[in-house]
Amino acid sequence: MTSAATKSKASHLIPGATGDWEVVIGLEVHAQVASNAKLFSGSSTAFGAEPNSHVSLVDAAMPGMLPVINKECVAQAIRTGLGLKSQINLRSIFDRKNYFYPDLPQGYQISQFKHPIVGEGEIEIDADGEALMVGVERLHLEQDAGKSLHDQHPDYSYVDLNRSGVALMEIVSKPDMRSSKQAQAYVTKLRTILRYLGTCDGDMEKGNLRADVNVSVRKPGSPLGTRCEIKNVNSIRFIGQAIEVEARRQIDILEAGGKIDQETRLYDSARGETRSMRSKEEAHDYRYFPDPDLLPLEFSQNYVDQLKASLPELPDEKRARFVKDYGLSTYDAAVLVAERTSADYFEAVAKGRDGKLAANWVNNELFGRLNKQDLDIADSPMSAAQLGAIVDLIASNAISGKIAKDLFEIVWSEGGDPAQIVETRGMKQVTDTGAIEKAVDDIIAANPDKVEQAKAKPSMLGWFVGQVMKSTGGKANPAVVNDVLRAKLGL
Amino acid sequence: MTDLTKFSLAEARDGLAKKSFSARELTDAFITAIEASNGALNAYVLPTPEHARAQAAESDKRIAAGTARALEGLPLGNKDLFATKGIRTTACSKILDDFKPPYESTVGQNLWDAGAVMLGKLNNDEFAMGSSNETSAFGNVVSPWRRLGRDGKRSTDKLVPGGSSGGSSAAVSANLCLAATATDTGGSIRQPAALTGTVGIKPTYGRCSRWGIVAFASSLDQAGPITKTVRDAAIMLKAMASHDPKDTTSVDAPVPDYEAALGKGVKGLRVGIPKEYRVDGMSAEIQKLWDDGIAWLKAAGATIHDISLPHTKYALPAYYIVAPAEASSNLARYDGMRYGMRVTGSNLTDTYELTRAAGFGREVRRRILIGTYVLSAGYYDAYYLKAQKVRTLIKRDFDEAWNFVDVVLTPTTPSPAFAFGEKSGDPLAMYLEDIFTVTVNMAGLPGMSVPAGLSSQGTPLGLQLIGKPFDETTLFQTAQVIEDAAGRFPVPDRWWMKG
């Protein structure tokens, strides 16, 4: 698949009064590391606890407290780097990013500035059928800040430090994207990879995955324009909207003869606009310097190799395998691998069965039903074994496709063993020619006028098939019914 | 009755073991002495007599039961930079107000676990920034030492006890504790020890845990003791040092029995004399002190070697970039939000500014400004990065020297104790106090000051020994030889005692 992917062909131009414009997008994604404890303290990272109940002396920056690196967070960053096919740096350095804010107890954030743990890599995305490689610039580990609560008291702001010190991975892309769709596909794909790896749960509603979006516009072939950074966009839909409105804003300014100021902006989803947060002149001087409380972070290639050996199969490889082993279309395979749980479900259904048939039932019936009830596949009332049994009954001609849909409904709402249900409720497809012949004879005898019409107009056959199916409760094998009818009607 | 406070730590330990006196009696003697002296000397910012008596009672039980630990019943002073659980800890800054930590520093815990008794919290320069103990929010510490006038009488002019561990050096020399904890970022153990006739050792960076010690400059800060004798320093450091998983810069290396190494002498030891320490304008008495030290070690069988540490002259300016840079960041947490003082302003920025302006003293503010400046965009490379390069070169100088020598001998300070106000108006003159000591912190090496003589004014002078990384043992061995030759330097008169 990789060979098909290319750099964006700049074929996503936005029309303006002075001609077409190209939008250039880079993303900084902040992904919360899936770990039980924080990056430099033993406090829990559990979501939704009482404010300030997961705060250690280190998180609250008490005098004389020191950070101690959480090895699991390091392992998670390495796994992520490997999943993004990136350079893993065996030596990296933690720096302090200094600024004052009440939700930042230390007065600095421990981050990685000059020497991140993960270097260059790439992510393959597919946007509107176009396969594209997006470069990853770097990934570094850093602490999250606490949360300021401004709505709790008329005169005061409160601070909840539960998040303070939670490990984040900041994943910085290269400015390789040329449309909002591509940016959305990038975040979607990145999220899928993180969830496969188990290094971030990707829950954007909880703020566990959020993006800073860098947007600039230019005339095709011109040098890069001045960029604006839209901070903390927390849904894939908003990322798309923010890019669209920001690109339009910049184009309008440029076409009116103005110039773009480099600045940090916020996306207001209610108003559908971006607003200035602070200009370049107001930008902080973070006074980065190596954190003297922490030694350089060093590990061996052997350690990296061990982590690599235990990585799960990633979505790109899984998709390729589904196409190859189960004969699926690239599209069907891509739908199935978007979530590891659905891919696993599919494989459990497909194992030892017709892969295409299994994919159809998972992608269409199961996903359709799950979506309708807004259920996650993990909460599906129907197990892979049950759906597999239904597929078996179809494959062995025991039931027709139509009956299978009824059976699906029964198993979905009532549960039980599909084969047994078919047996006890008499849903088995009738392939016994004798029984079908009798049913056909009865219909012919009762409708001599229709028989005459059919002789003149063979397409009337369909009416007869419907009648036979009706009289057999849908259980007659439609192919056999057709054959018998043709013979008896002399068509 | 014997004055129990005059004992060295080792002598008191032996007395307790022989049951010549009880831990409670020993502790009470110090509590009485502190009550009688502290008004004049201001060595303690918070005496904790009740806490001390409770610990002493526990020690007496243990001694009676035959389960005494290494420092059982020995009363110590604890620098206010060390967090003490439930006991006010301020780093002698207004900004911490009446902060009572819910935790004990690792070094402190090690001492209390060894049975030591805490008499109280000792004064120091605010956030350990100073060389005279004139920057403390609790006021100056007065040295028990006074200059000898031409008439042979002691002057009544008040002298500084050195800094930043001025409370520690004053308390130990004035017999207000058997020994004291201290910290050293650029000389804060060794310089006050030299100025008060006491022994002070700053161990190798990483030997003691920094956990629970209010940070000044993280890459330079180390805890160590100030004591009356070299033996006491060996006993104290053994108890203070440990590998601590809570401080990743602490080193997982065994802590030797330093006391056992005392008396081994220096026969065959190679002693380096760095020519760069013969600074312009060095006084004749400092030169003589140094020569005496050389002579004593030579007489004891050591060999003397001239060495060069070529980047020494850059150490002080580089130190005064690195240390303030780290401090500017370390002190950002004192923002009035979670603990300590807060001066509420009309908005957030206002609150920050008012709180920090009111909470920090002049010298601390100066260093925060210097540190912020040298880390700023556009200045980082010229200052901070260059200073770090200098630091590497200083380390390399020593690495090279260790090919030829086992220990380096220098004076500890360029001059004896000075009077209040003599240098406090001129920060550069004050910073020059650290000229012989900062290289040791910059290179992360162990350094020790041993009293070696008196100035023409009758005040103490110290010699500094610098060792290889984690080779404190050689420092103790060598220091013992100097102490044996020079003798001890108790304060001649206890003028400060009431009545």
Side-chain angles (χ1 to χ4, degrees):
Chain A
M1 292 307 296
T2 310
S3 57
T6 56
K7 293 282 171 191
S8 178
K9 287 192 285 288
S11 55
H12 309 277
L13 303 178
I14 302 173
T18 60
D20 287 345
W21 293 85
E22 182 183 47
V23 59
V24 176
I25 305 153
L27 290 164
E28 294 167 24
V29 172
H30 296 262
Q32 181 177 327
V33 175
S35 67
N36 294 324
K38 296 182 179 180
L39 184 54
F40 295 110
S41 84
S43 303
S44 165
T45 56
F47 178 82
E50 277 292 297
N52 295 310
S53 60
H54 294 327
V55 185
S56 75
L57 298 169
V58 175
D59 306 326
M62 299 299 252
M65 291 301 101
L66 300 171
V68 177
I69 185 79
N70 176 344
K71 285 183 183 142
E72 180 54 21
C73 294
V74 174
Q76 292 288 56
I78 298 170
R79 287 186 189 108
T80 306
L82 291 168
L84 302 180
K85 300 177 178 66
S86 296
Q87 162 79 31
I88 306 296
N89 296 323
L90 301 182
R91 185 175 196 273
S92 62
I93 290 174
F94 285 104
D95 297 282
R96 291 185 183 176
K97 178 180 179 179
N98 295 282
Y99 66 95
F100 284 95
Y101 205 68
D103 62 18
L104 188 75
Q106 294 166 140
Y108 53 85
Q109 176 195 35
I110 305 178
S111 181
Q112 296 188 303
F113 185 49
K114 280 191 185 161
H115 304 280
I117 183 168
V118 174
E120 292 190 333
E122 58 186 17
I123 298 179
E124 185 190 332
I125 64 166
D126 190 286
D128 281 346
E130 184 193 2
L132 174 72
M133 294 307 286
V134 176
V136 171
E137 181 70 34
R138 57 184 277 163
L139 175 157
H140 68 253
L141 279 167
E142 64 183 26
Q143 296 177 304
D144 203 350
K147 196 173 162 194
S148 294
L149 309 166
H150 301 296
D151 54 359
Q152 306 286 306
H153 188 281
D155 302 323
Y156 293 97
S157 287
Y158 289 178
V159 175
D160 176 6
L161 295 180
N162 282 351
R163 282 194 90 101
S164 167
V166 165
L168 301 178
M169 296 180 280
E170 181 173 327
I171 303 160
V172 183
S173 83
K174 297 196 172 181
D176 287 349
M177 288 156 280
R178 297 291 177 268
S179 72
S180 59
K181 285 249 169 67
Q182 289 178 356
Q184 289 179 308
Y186 170 84
V187 177
T188 305
K189 184 61 176 288
L190 176 58
R191 182 175 174 275
T192 299
I193 294 171
L194 295 171
R195 285 171 56 83
Y196 262 69
L197 291 165
T199 57
C200 170
D201 69 11
D203 192 333
M204 297 185 86
E205 275 175 24
K206 288 181 187 162
N208 295 352
L209 191 82
R210 46 195 199 262
D212 298 342
V213 187
N214 285 290
V215 178
S216 65
V217 297
R218 64 176 171 187
K219 285 289 173 69
S222 302
L224 287 173
T226 303
R227 69 188 160 87
C228 289
E229 180 179 14
I230 309 162
K231 279 277 182 198
N232 256 331
V233 190
N234 63 0
S235 89
I236 290 173
R237 194 156 59 93
F238 290 163
I239 289 171
Q241 292 172 0
I243 292 168
E244 295 287 341
V245 302
E246 177 61 16
R248 178 48 63 189
R249 184 188 74 88
Q250 293 185 13
I251 291 167
D252 290 348
I253 289 173
L254 292 170
E255 292 196 326
K259 69 181 209 18
I260 304 301
D261 295 323
Q262 186 177 333
E263 61 184 358
T264 304
R265 301 180 69 84
L266 281 175
Y267 177 61
D268 181 337
S269 60
R271 295 192 187 183
E273 63 180 28
T274 66
R275 274 202 303 276
S276 181
M277 209 172 137
R278 54 175 182 258
S279 69
K280 194 183 176 187
E281 288 70 34
E282 296 167 290
H284 296 293
D285 178 354
Y286 290 119
R287 289 173 283 120
Y288 280 101
F289 76 108
D291 190 331
D293 284 332
L294 291 159
L295 301 171
L297 177 60
E298 293 179 313
F299 43 81
S300 66
Q301 183 59 46
N302 188 35
Y303 179 62
V304 177
D305 293 342
Q306 279 174 31
L307 291 173
K308 193 171 190 173
S310 63
L311 285 188
E313 182 182 36
L314 290 170
D316 288 349
E317 287 84 66
K318 203 182 274 293
R319 186 186 58 189
R321 185 168 60 78
F322 282 6
V323 169
K324 183 169 166 283
D325 292 0
Y326 297 106
L328 305 188
S329 69
T330 306
Y331 176 80
D332 276 349
V335 171
L336 288 168
V337 303
E339 290 288 344
R340 191 171 166 178
T341 40
S342 35
D344 289 348
Y345 189 104
F346 161 74
E347 285 224 272
V349 175
K351 195 144 199 179
R353 302 191 176 101
D354 179 342
K356 275 185 164 168
L357 190 58
N360 281 341
W361 277 85
V362 172
N363 274 349
N364 300 329
E365 298 306 319
L366 182 76
F367 285 178
R369 201 55 215 257
L370 288 170
N371 283 343
K372 206 164 145 192
Q373 288 185 227
D374 198 19
L375 283 176
D376 194 86
I377 192 154
D379 306 318
S380 168
M382 184 181 294
S383 72
Q386 285 171 315
L387 185 55
I390 294 174
V391 171
D392 282 341
L393 291 164
I394 302 165
S396 66
N397 279 327
I399 55 172
S400 65
K402 187 187 173 301
I403 290 290
K405 289 187 183 182
D406 296 342
L407 178 60
F408 182 95
E409 282 305 317
I410 293 166
V411 176
W412 177 275
S413 45
E414 298 171 28
D417 173 11
Q420 210 171 351
I421 292 168
V422 165
E423 205 61 55
T424 56
R425 304 199 187 182
M427 297 168 77
K428 227 170 178 165
Q429 183 160 258
V430 178
T431 45
D432 170 8
T433 321
I436 292 172
E437 274 181 2
K438 177 162 190 311
V440 168
D441 288 343
D442 288 350
I443 301 291
I444 288 175
N447 300 283
D449 50 334
K450 300 275 183 202
V451 174
E452 283 311 309
Q453 287 169 19
K455 283 185 172 151
K457 194 184 172 197
S459 64
M460 279 292 291
L461 182 69
W463 182 86
F464 283 94
V465 173
Q467 292 302 304
V468 176
M469 295 307 283
K470 201 171 163 187
S471 79
T472 57
K475 288 178 286 181
N477 184 324
V480 177
V481 172
N482 255 297
D483 289 349
V484 172
L485 272 170
R486 279 178 192 283
K488 301 239 173 199
L489 294 171
L491 296 174
Chain B
M1 193 192 152
T2 325
D3 179 359
L4 301 179
T5 67
K6 284 190 174 174
F7 288 132
S8 72
L9 185 84
E11 288 161 355
R13 178 182 64 180
D14 296 346
L16 283 171
K18 284 189 214 144
K19 301 195 169 65
S20 309
F21 44 84
S22 69
R24 178 61 190 261
E25 286 166 337
L26 184 62
T27 298
D28 279 340
F30 281 107
I31 291 169
T32 307
I34 292 165
E35 281 168 1
S37 311
N38 212 43
L41 300 183
N42 198 29
Y44 283 87
V45 292
L46 183 69
T48 54
E50 291 315 309
H51 180 83
R53 287 193 181 104
Q55 284 182 314
E58 167 69 16
S59 288
D60 279 331
K61 276 188 210 159
R62 286 219 176 218
I63 293 167
T67 56
R69 297 158 290 181
L71 298 179
E72 198 67 65
L74 299 173
L76 308 176
N78 199 11
K79 188 177 181 178
D80 203 32
L81 231 56
F82 292 80
T84 41
K85 189 173 182 175
I87 295 171
R88 191 188 71 192
T89 301
T90 68
C92 295
S93 177
K94 275 198 269 183
I95 204 150
L96 273 158
D97 200 14
D98 66 343
F99 177 66
K100 293 188 181 74
Y103 50 93
E104 187 79 28
S105 73
T106 298
V107 165
Q109 195 60 51
N110 287 347
L111 291 169
W112 323 134
D113 286 349
V117 170
M118 186 178 83
L119 292 164
K121 302 300 293 287
L122 293 165
N123 209 335
N124 51 253
D125 278 300
E126 184 181 3
F127 283 105
M129 297 177 188
S131 304
S132 62
N133 219 117
E134 289 170 283
T135 72
S136 166
F138 293 95
N140 299 344
V141 177
V142 178
S143 175
W145 285 88
R146 296 194 296 184
R147 283 171 179 155
L148 203 56
R150 291 186 181 186
D151 54 359
K153 286 184 186 160
R154 294 275 165 182
S155 153
T156 55
D157 291 349
K158 288 172 179 170
L159 297 182
V160 304
S164 68
S165 310
S168 304
S169 67
V172 172
S173 57
N175 293 336
L176 303 183
C177 57
L178 287 171
T181 62
T183 60
D184 189 317
T185 305
S188 283
I189 290 176
R190 292 158 290 157
Q191 185 258 12
L195 266 43
T196 57
T198 54
V199 176
I201 179 166
K202 180 207 89 77
T204 314
Y205 184 79
R207 184 58 101 181
C208 288
S209 168
R210 293 184 295 113
W211 195 87
I213 301 172
V214 176
F216 163 12
S218 310
S219 74
L220 301 160
D221 296 346
Q222 257 302 285
I226 289 181
T227 60
K228 296 182 186 179
T229 68
V230 172
R231 178 173 299 273
D232 290 358
I235 296 167
M236 281 290 284
L237 184 60
K238 170 78 180 164
M240 292 166 77
S242 68
H243 171 240
D244 183 359
K246 290 184 288 190
D247 174 6
T248 50
T249 63
S250 79
V251 173
D252 192 1
V255 182
D257 184 350
Y258 301 122
E259 202 182 356
L262 300 176
K264 285 195 175 162
V266 292
K267 203 167 171 54
L269 192 78
R270 299 171 301 169
V271 179
I273 309 297
K275 66 175 183 194
E276 290 79 7
Y277 282 64
R278 289 184 200 281
V279 290
D280 288 345
M282 181 183 267
S283 70
E285 65 186 19
I286 296 289
Q287 184 60 58
K288 182 183 177 303
L289 179 85
W290 201 358
D291 291 340
D292 287 347
I294 293 168
W296 294 326
L297 294 177
K298 213 170 184 174
T303 57
I304 308 299
H305 306 267
D306 287 331
I307 59 165
S308 175
L309 300 168
H311 298 93
T312 300
K313 66 178 169 207
Y314 304 114
L316 195 68
Y319 171 85
Y320 274 98
I321 289 168
V322 173
E326 292 183 12
S328 71
S329 176
N330 281 337
L331 271 57
R333 66 187 56 198
Y334 307 108
D335 59 1
M337 293 295 135
R338 296 168 310 287
Y339 48 77
M341 77 179 291
R342 174 193 295 176
V343 181
T344 305
S346 56
N347 58 45
L348 179 63
T349 307
D350 206 26
T351 298
Y352 280 146
E353 290 177 356
L354 291 174
T355 300
R356 288 167 65 84
F360 291 135
R362 202 178 159 76
E363 182 60 25
V364 172
R365 292 203 300 270
R366 185 190 339 268
R367 297 202 195 187
I368 290 172
L369 288 173
I370 293 171
T372 304
Y373 180 81
V374 299
L375 290 175
S376 297
Y379 299 100
Y380 180 87
D381 289 359
Y383 291 106
Y384 184 79
L385 206 61
K386 193 157 245 175
Q388 290 293 12
K389 285 178 183 164
V390 168
R391 196 170 176 180
T392 306
L393 294 172
I394 290 166
K395 267 185 207 157
R396 200 177 294 165
D397 282 356
F398 278 102
D399 288 344
E400 182 68 16
W402 302 133
N403 291 322
F404 306 102
V405 298
D406 305 306
V407 69
V408 170
L409 179 74
T410 76
T412 308
T413 60
S415 54
F418 45 95
F420 287 104
E422 238 173 67
K423 297 189 181 182
S424 54
D426 179 358
L428 280 181
M430 191 68 88
Y431 296 170
L432 280 168
E433 272 295 295
D434 302 329
I435 190 153
F436 297 143
T437 47
V438 290
T439 48
V440 175
N441 301 77
M442 294 289 269
L445 300 172
M448 186 170 186
S449 179
V450 202
L454 294 177
S455 70
S456 57
Q457 298 168 324
T459 53
L461 295 170
L463 282 172
Q464 175 177 239
L465 293 163
I466 304 168
K468 296 176 190 172
F470 299 101
D471 188 18
E472 287 86 0
T473 302
T474 299
L475 296 189
F476 285 118
Q477 266 174 253
T478 314
Q480 185 64 58
V481 171
I482 294 172
E483 185 182 84
D484 290 346
R488 283 172 54 186
F489 297 87
V491 180
D493 66 314
R494 307 183 79 182
W495 56 267
W496 63 88
M497 297 287 280
K498 285 182 200 158

